[in-house]
């Protein structure tokens, strides 16, 4: 028979089994945290009507889309989880209770040019809270609290959540009569870490911005100190602009609330140069960085927007949300050696049967399963050496060897494969196997 | 602004939030059981090269496929999870440890004509064990044990796993010199419950099958009694055909093993008329039925096959597996009123803050979160009545009301919204809230 070469498309992540164990562990930490805070799961289709999905899109996004016809339908694969959420909420507006809190974890598709660390199919892990006409700023704080919880649980090193408010930026540039140049200025500010202050000054000059305006911009982005000091300095600028002052009020609100939540102040920081998506966010914006790995960039971003679903409905639906790009994050964490997958097995214990008394073996298995321990049984019809080799290849930490001798004595042999030590333990002691024998 | 109508494609399931909670609960029971038995997670791409995906397909499947071009690539969406598994195993043959046990839960796509209860995008929940050249029959038994565990945990009523062995069928028809008519005969046998024995006899006659052959066929499918009695009767047919006798041996092996596993004999049954996919399975085959809902058909099927990946590799890779079509199953369970979603909320407790002392409120939330309880806080800036209405709309069972009075007394008010009763309880008693106050 002629064979087809089994290939996977470039730009599509397909992990080894042990890597997938770790990927799923991280994914579940994220999902469990979302659920803990009472977010509803949502699971929208991968395929949608093209006109629905592309109501807003344009430019790069539209070029990257997977779009095709089937029968007479013009179809596309979703390229994010926000547009499907907007569609869902607009469609079911009358049946949903607002604020509507939902999480969605799923694959999205973008036919980008493949390059190292970029994927055409990737997981997004999103939460959003959608209000009906209005939405308390407490939800901004809850989203920040969830980011804090997740990155503590992930245990991938020190992290900092950088927080800003878009009203402060807009109001500030408005007070300088620079509204029409906000986009270019923000783009420059975003590069300040890379190109330095003096180069930013030069480029601002190229935009025909006056020296005294440039000095005010530099003064603004140089504001430093503790979070409270930054807020005080912003206030002391005495800028007479409603938006600016509303932004300070919101930011102070958020900071005070995070303090009440006992979110450690080591893990968040007002960062006035954070802007995010230039035409979407209208209030709080945030990014999350790993302190020891600045090159990875933001691993979790989000913010507050005015209107989720204006392409579908006249209803005003403000929201706040955040997203973790898990496929890319996982790739980066592995590349940077922050997570290791060489001890990720599919089961905590593997039983190696060395006799045919399966009633005894299944009893042991049931006992362990009932204790919430995952148990693989090696049914290879081979000798102990081959079975050990199999357990090793599966990265199994603990094996239970059960032969006629053990059954006669009503015991099992528990071997720690990582450390090469073993104990013979009475079956009755298996009740405490988790506490006494299985170490983390 | 011109609005686009927010539509979802027909044949694509998109649930209400409370329905999704129940869907996910069921999905997680299935996944957790797969994991308990040491199956590795696998997550292959939704999009594959068309020639890879369609190496084996043809006929109906090929017509239903979502296939399109992007740049110069001929791409298709996966239509099942077995072909991607075959690709994966063939591609990584040298790096995997065999037997390779994997589960995959994911969406697959088939552009069928839409009709009630059929979906174009649906979840499959699969497990398979793949051997390298050989695979112990114990894995057939493990798969059956997993089906048993899952349907007990799902608690959706009495179920029966029907078990057969394809070698018995093939061997039997071979002994009657009817090899060339096996397909048609099996198709007729499959209809016996619908059309009755005498109609089956007539149609067998139409196939030019002789009367004495027909009598033997009817005698064979009429074999009744307990599982052991059926095996004894099969043996007493004294048919001199190796395949037939090998099939009996395998089937007896399976039945004896299920007994050793203490799988309740109420929940499985040898059923000699079960055949499943006519050109794929070669040993054990099984279907699962809900006893009180025979019209739903099989809710979980699978079996043993000879060669997983012959389109990609010369390696002989026998396997055994099973699949649950979760989207269809969920639809049917809701339709038949077997599961209800009118009490599915996204959180166990909702806090209704009636004052601005959020430090106290967040402390209570943290306390509950740390106990593994999911906690929604209602930040609506409205009165108690509106907040209660919100909690009700979210189907929340328990609310905690916290106002200045409660904080002064260091208490909270816990209200069971379903039963309309409430208690004021000291904060210190919240440690036992799960055991004492939250009923199932």
């Amino acid at each position: 028979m002629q064979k087809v070469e089994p290939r996977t498309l470039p730009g599509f992540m397909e992990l080894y089994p042990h890597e997938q164990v770790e990927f799923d562990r991280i994914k579940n930490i994220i999902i469990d945290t979302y659920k803990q805070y009472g977010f509803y799961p949502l699971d929208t289709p991968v395929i949608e009507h093209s006109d629905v999905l592309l109501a807003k899109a344009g430019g790069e996004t539209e070029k990257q889309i997977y779009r095709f016809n089937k029968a007479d339908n013009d179809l596309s694969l979703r390229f994010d989880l926000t547009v499907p959420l907007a569609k869902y909420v607009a469609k079911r507006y009358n049946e949903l209770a607002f604020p509507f809190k939902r999480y969605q974890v799923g694959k999205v598709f973008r036919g980008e040019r493949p390059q190292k660390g970029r994927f055409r199919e990737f997981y997004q892990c999103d939460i959003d809270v959608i209000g009906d006409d209005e939405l308390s700023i407490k939800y901004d704080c809850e989203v920040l609290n969830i980011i804090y919880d997740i990155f503590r649980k992930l245990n991938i090193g020190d992290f900092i959540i950088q927080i800003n408010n878009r009203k402060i930026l807009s109001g500030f540039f408005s007070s300088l009569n620079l509204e029409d140049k906000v986009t270019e200025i923000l783009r420059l500010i975003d590069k300040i870490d890379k190109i330095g202050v003096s180069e930013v000054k030069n480029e601002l000059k190229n935009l025909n911005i006056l020296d005294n305006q440039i000095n005010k911009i530099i003064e603004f982005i140089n504001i430093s100190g503790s979070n409270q000091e930054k807020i005080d300095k912003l206030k002391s600028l005495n800028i007479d602009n409603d938006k600016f002052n509303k932004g300070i009020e919101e930011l102070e609100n958020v900071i005070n609330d995070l303090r009440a939540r006992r979110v450690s102040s080591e893990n968040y920081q007002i960062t006035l140069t954070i802007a995010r998506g230039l035409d979407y966010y209208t209030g709080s914006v945030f990014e999350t960085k790993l302190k020891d790995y600045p090159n990875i960039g933001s691993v979790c971003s989000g913010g507050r927007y005015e209107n989720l679903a204006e392409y579908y409905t006249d209803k005003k639906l403000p929201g706040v949300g955040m997203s973790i790009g898990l496929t890319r994050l996982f790739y980066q964490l592995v590349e940077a050696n922050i997570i290791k997958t060489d001890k990720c097995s599919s089961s905590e214990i593997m039983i190696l049967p060395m006799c045919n008394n399966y009633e005894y073996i299944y009893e042991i298995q049931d006992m362990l399963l009932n204790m919430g321990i995952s148990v693989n049984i090696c049914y290879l019809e081979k000798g102990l050496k081959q079975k050990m080799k199999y357990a090793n290849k599966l990265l199994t930490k603990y094996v239970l060897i059960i032969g006629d001798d053990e059954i006669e004595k009503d015991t099992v042999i528990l071997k720690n494969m990582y450390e090469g030590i073993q104990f013979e333990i009475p079956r009755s002691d298996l009740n405490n196997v988790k506490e006494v024998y299985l170490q983390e």
Side-chain angles (χ1 to χ4, degrees), chain A:
Chain A
M1 188 190 291
Q2 178 127 21
K3 307 296 175 194
V4 176
E5 194 202 335
R7 291 122 51 222
T8 299
L9 285 160
F12 287 69
M13 182 179 270
E14 190 174 73
L15 299 170
Y16 281 101
H18 60 285
E19 294 172 328
Q20 192 68 52
V21 169
E22 179 66 4
F23 185 96
D24 284 11
R25 190 185 68 81
I26 293 176
K27 191 171 74 174
N28 286 332
I29 287 174
I30 296 170
I31 290 174
D32 288 345
T33 312
Y34 293 166
K35 283 165 79 171
Q36 273 209 301
Y37 282 85
F39 282 74
Y40 272 109
L42 188 60
D43 190 353
T44 63
V46 166
I47 309 177
E48 301 267 10
H49 287 291
S50 293
D51 66 324
V52 172
L53 218 50
L54 299 171
K56 178 186 175 181
E60 270 312 296
T61 308
E62 194 148 348
K63 264 184 262 164
Q64 293 174 353
I65 226 109
Y66 288 93
R67 183 172 181 171
F68 52 92
N69 288 290
K70 176 85 182 167
D72 292 329
N73 292 311
D74 178 3
L75 306 174
S76 292
L77 304 189
R78 65 184 179 208
F79 56 89
D80 73 5
L81 301 176
T82 307
V83 176
L85 171 65
K87 179 209 75 173
Y88 185 90
V89 174
K91 185 166 178 263
R92 309 200 180 218
Y93 173 80
N94 288 313
E95 297 133 317
L96 295 175
F98 294 93
F100 174 54
K101 297 167 72 171
R102 85 86 177 79
Y103 74 87
Q104 185 164 5
V105 172
K107 287 178 173 179
V108 304
F109 303 84
R110 295 186 195 175
E112 293 193 82
R113 219 129 63 98
Q115 45 181 310
K116 202 165 142 43
R118 305 295 286 183
F119 295 90
R120 291 171 162 179
E121 172 184 285
F122 55 95
Y123 274 96
Q124 292 209 157
C125 310
D126 285 16
I127 46 172
D128 287 272
V129 188
I130 310 301
D132 182 10
D133 199 46
E134 57 182 15
L135 183 70
S136 166
I137 197 164
K138 290 277 179 202
Y139 289 104
D140 302 36
C141 310
E142 183 169 80
V143 169
L144 288 163
N145 199 344
I146 290 170
I147 296 174
Y148 174 70
D149 282 6
I150 287 174
F151 282 89
R152 274 199 309 167
K153 288 184 205 160
L154 288 183
N155 196 22
I156 51 175
D158 227 356
F159 64 93
I160 186 98
I161 308 171
Q162 300 178 314
I163 306 174
N164 198 7
N165 190 297
R166 284 297 300 270
K167 292 188 182 74
I168 296 175
L169 291 176
S170 305
F172 175 73
F173 290 112
S174 193
S175 77
L176 293 178
N177 289 315
L178 288 170
E179 290 102 329
D180 55 329
K181 289 176 181 160
V182 171
T183 308
E184 292 100 318
I185 298 171
L186 289 179
R187 198 167 290 140
L188 281 176
I189 289 178
D190 215 37
K191 289 200 285 185
I192 201 161
D193 284 345
K194 277 188 206 151
I195 64 177
V197 175
S198 63
E199 185 56 27
V200 167
K201 275 186 178 178
N202 284 338
E203 299 214 17
L204 287 171
K205 217 169 259 178
N206 292 340
L207 294 173
N208 292 323
I209 297 174
L210 305 175
D211 276 353
N212 73 320
Q213 291 174 316
I214 292 179
N215 288 337
K216 284 198 171 153
I217 293 172
I218 300 298
E219 182 192 10
F220 172 78
I221 61 180
N222 272 339
I223 286 175
S224 62
S226 70
N227 290 321
Q228 194 53 56
E229 283 164 356
K230 282 176 185 165
I231 286 171
D232 293 341
K233 284 182 188 170
L234 285 171
K235 286 180 183 168
S236 70
L237 292 178
N238 277 320
I239 292 175
D240 183 22
N241 178 291
D242 286 351
K243 208 174 216 181
F244 182 79
N245 290 306
K246 177 79 179 142
I248 296 176
E249 187 194 319
E250 287 182 6
L251 188 59
E252 188 165 25
N253 241 326
V254 167
I255 298 301
N256 287 339
D257 188 85
L258 292 181
R259 210 176 287 127
R261 286 172 189 269
R262 303 202 193 157
V263 169
S264 164
S265 62
E266 301 280 301
N267 292 109
Y268 63 93
Q269 183 183 59
I270 294 176
T271 307
L272 296 171
T273 52
I274 297 276
R276 308 278 328 144
L278 295 174
D279 55 356
Y280 188 53
Y281 293 111
T282 54
S284 304
V285 285
F286 30 86
E287 298 190 344
T288 310
K289 311 264 168 76
L290 301 181
K291 286 184 189 170
D292 299 331
Y293 302 88
N295 291 336
I296 288 183
S298 178
V299 292
C300 172
S301 318
R304 160 75 71 140
Y305 40 89
E306 208 78 339
N307 213 337
L308 173 73
E310 57 181 334
Y311 294 87
Y312 307 121
T313 174
D314 283 325
K315 302 282 173 198
K316 193 183 154 232
L317 300 169
V320 59
M322 65 91 160
S323 181
I324 300 174
L326 182 57
T327 301
R328 187 168 158 75
L329 175 61
F330 183 80
Y331 174 85
Q332 288 168 319
L333 294 177
V334 170
E335 281 287 295
N337 227 356
I338 303 172
I339 54 172
K340 292 177 190 64
T341 61
D342 58 347
K343 292 192 170 169
C344 293
S345 189
S346 60
S347 67
E348 289 166 84
I349 289 181
M350 184 184 287
I351 295 179
L352 309 184
M354 296 310 298
C355 64
N356 280 315
N357 186 341
Y358 275 96
E359 284 201 31
Y360 187 92
I361 290 162
Y362 293 145
E363 270 177 41
I364 302 278
Q365 184 188 29
D366 268 351
M367 198 170 162
L368 297 170
L369 289 176
N370 287 332
M371 290 158 65
I373 297 170
S374 54
V375 189
N376 209 345
I377 300 185
C378 173
Y379 296 113
L380 270 180
E381 282 148 6
K382 296 196 168 149
L384 183 59
K385 209 174 150 190
Q386 287 299 310
K387 288 179 179 173
M388 289 282 207
K389 211 174 143 188
Y390 178 64
N392 249 328
K393 232 180 151 178
L394 258 51
L395 309 172
T396 316
K397 185 163 182 186
Y398 295 99
V399 299
L400 275 189
I401 303 164
I402 303 174
D404 287 323
D405 281 2
E406 285 75 47
I407 295 179
E408 191 156 323
K409 291 184 274 175
D410 210 24
T411 63
V412 296
I413 291 171
L414 177 75
K415 177 164 183 174
N416 180 327
M417 301 284 280
Y418 291 0
E419 294 173 17
I421 48 173
Q422 68 179 49
F423 313 90
E424 180 163 5
I425 53 182
R427 168 149 70 151
S428 53
D429 278 10
L430 280 178
N431 283 318
N432 314 314
V433 71
K434 217 163 181 166
E435 296 76 16
V436 180
Y437 296 98
L438 309 191
Q439 318 137 12
E440 263 315 298

